[in-house]
Amino acid sequence: MNHFISRRLFCQSTLSLPLLPLGYANAASQSGLKPIEGSWFEFQHCHVHESGYWDATCAAFSCAQWQAKVAEMAELGMQYLVLLSVAQDGKAFYPSKQMPSWNLACADPLEAVLSEADRRGMKVFVSGGFFDEKIGTYADEAGTKQRFAAMEELVGLYGQHPSFYGWYWPNEASIDPYYHEVFIRYCNTSSAEARRLMPEAKILIAPYGTRLAKADAVYAKQLESLDVDFIAYQDEVGVRKTQPDELDAIYAHLRAVHDQVQRARLWADVEIFDFEGDTYKSNLIPAPFARVRQQLEAIAPHVDTILVYQYQGMMNKLGSSAFAGHPESPKLYAEYQEWRASRGFSP
């Protein structure tokens, strides 16, 4: 859940986190387990060299297949969906009056997803991008105007859906070891417009550079200034920047600063993928469940909710009518389902 160039491609320094007391990390890992409660999803991936196992299939999905995919995720206990983008390369994934639409078999996949999410009682974070801006950059004045116009259009088209829970800002922050001020401005400006359009809307961001976060007074002040409801920190295991055995300490530090500030809720963005070859240069494939289990069990004691990047492509129910992804994706689905049942999580 590389949400791509915005998720991963910037170089990051190797600043170290302060040390925890000896034994703290191991003790924390022994308490509390959580299932996966949501996932990112997309109509088309923003880097074609990473999505060879599902992009063409998803482009050919009927509206009924998009609904079946949402139902499949709900059956696995997921209640949150995070849409990566509502537009890409100047074309929309919905019937827009502002820009041309992608040539997809389902003319309005966003309507299909939201209507099925309504039936399933799910919550959808609708993306505020990418439109014409370069992925991984923060919009200038013209881009901001375009984004706001698209957000207003989206509310007009889909605001009646109970599942339209809030917004996700896809130009994600790089923490190194703090947020850049340009991101805070982008985020807060976008959130102010979102709350004007939908006063009850919830706002999600998913920064990367998680292992570099310096959970001190400066970082706490930045958290206080961010107008968001949930921060789902990328664990960066899939992109090979962090090892599973480092996660306990990393998220413990984040838990401490979030408890101090008590504004945005602390969530996790767990990467359940690997690369078929070189990092950022090859197709995404399902990670072994043994690794995913380590990630879930290390992070769970410290966060309120676990999301993943991403169910789509990495997991499929065996026999799915909306199969999209790697041939090994049913194996990851089945092994996670077995683990989930063994831990007593309800269907």
Side-chain angles (χ1 to χ4, degrees):
M1 218 171 79
N2 143 333
H3 299 355
F4 298 99
I5 293 183
S6 63
R7 281 190 62 92
R8 319 291 181 187
L9 294 188
F10 298 107
C11 295
Q12 300 173 356
S13 68
T14 55
L15 294 173
S16 61
L17 289 159
L19 294 175
L20 288 166
L22 287 175
Y24 179 90
N26 287 338
S29 292
Q30 301 306 312
S31 62
L33 284 175
K34 292 180 179 66
I36 297 167
E37 292 190 66
S39 174
W40 268 255
F41 75 103
E42 59 198 15
F43 300 121
Q44 290 289 279
H45 191 64
C46 51
H47 297 305
V48 295
H49 59 274
E50 293 175 341
S51 53
Y53 287 107
W54 71 87
D55 253 3
T57 302
C58 289
F61 265 7
S62 67
C63 296
Q65 284 176 301
W66 281 114
Q67 291 175 324
K69 183 54 67 180
V70 172
E72 187 179 309
M73 295 164 73
E75 289 168 4
L76 201 61
M78 297 191 186
Q79 60 174 306
Y80 298 104
L81 300 177
V82 185
L83 176 56
L84 179 62
S85 61
V86 291
Q88 197 168 289
D89 301 329
K91 296 184 292 183
F93 294 119
Y94 66 96
S96 173
K97 293 182 178 179
Q98 297 187 52
M99 65 193 91
S101 296
W102 279 76
N103 183 23
L104 304 177
C106 176
D108 193 349
L110 184 51
E111 173 64 31
V113 165
L114 288 167
S115 61
E116 186 62 28
D118 289 346
R119 286 189 283 272
R120 299 283 174 168
M122 301 173 81
K123 300 177 177 70
V124 180
F125 292 94
V126 175
S127 175
F130 286 111
F131 315 115
D132 288 324
E133 76 262 36
K134 181 181 177 182
I135 297 169
T137 63
Y138 303 112
D140 57 15
E141 185 176 347
T144 299
K145 183 177 179 180
Q146 183 184 38
R147 181 168 69 255
F148 286 5
M151 289 165 60
E152 187 163 8
E153 183 176 54
L154 288 162
V155 171
L157 289 170
Y158 307 108
Q160 77 280 7
H161 284 282
S163 60
F164 193 157
Y165 182 63
W167 301 89
Y168 161 64
W169 308 138
N171 280 306
E172 294 159 347
S174 169
I175 304 173
D176 188 17
Y178 307 115
Y179 294 96
H180 298 289
E181 290 302 316
V182 65
F183 171 79
I184 294 176
R185 289 194 299 272
Y186 153 76
C187 181
N188 289 352
T189 302
S190 301
S191 295
E193 179 65 7
R195 298 192 195 283
R196 183 188 72 81
L197 293 167
M198 296 175 64
E200 302 302 316
K202 302 298 183 183
I203 311 296
L204 169 73
I205 61 172
Y208 61 100
T210 304
R211 73 198 187 284
L212 306 177
K214 191 172 183 180
D216 59 8
V218 174
Y219 192 84
K221 186 175 181 180
Q222 288 191 322
L223 284 183
E224 289 174 345
S225 73
L226 274 168
D227 181 15
V228 300
D229 299 287
F230 312 110
I231 303 179
Y233 294 86
Q234 299 173 27
D235 75 355
E236 300 186 296
V237 173
V239 295
R240 304 170 180 171
K241 294 178 180 177
T242 302
Q243 295 298 314
D245 60 8
E246 298 176 287
L247 296 173
D248 201 359
I250 290 169
Y251 282 84
H253 287 299
L254 293 170
R255 178 80 270 168
V257 71
H258 275 259
D259 284 348
Q260 174 189 340
V261 175
Q262 294 191 348
R263 183 169 185 180
R265 301 293 294 272
L266 171 56
W267 287 14
D269 173 359
V270 174
E271 297 176 342
I272 62 171
F273 62 85
D274 200 351
F275 287 90
E276 195 167 37
D278 291 343
T279 309
Y280 300 122
K281 297 180 180 179
S282 60
N283 281 316
L284 302 182
I285 61 173
F289 181 67
R291 194 202 83 187
V292 173
R293 184 184 64 233
Q294 284 183 279
Q295 293 166 259
L296 296 176
E297 293 179 352
I299 291 171
H302 310 297
V303 303
D304 301 314
T305 298
I306 292 176
L307 307 178
V308 296
Y309 190 90
Q310 68 175 4
Y311 182 94
Q312 189 176 353
M314 303 304 112
M315 299 175 84
N316 278 286
K317 185 178 181 179
L318 188 63
S320 171
S321 63
F323 190 101
H326 192 271
E328 291 293 307
S329 55
K331 183 174 187 289
L332 181 56
Y333 177 102
E335 290 179 339
Y336 169 69
Q337 184 184 47
E338 182 181 1
W339 175 86
R340 185 171 175 272
S342 73
R343 300 306 190 270
F345 297 121
S346 58

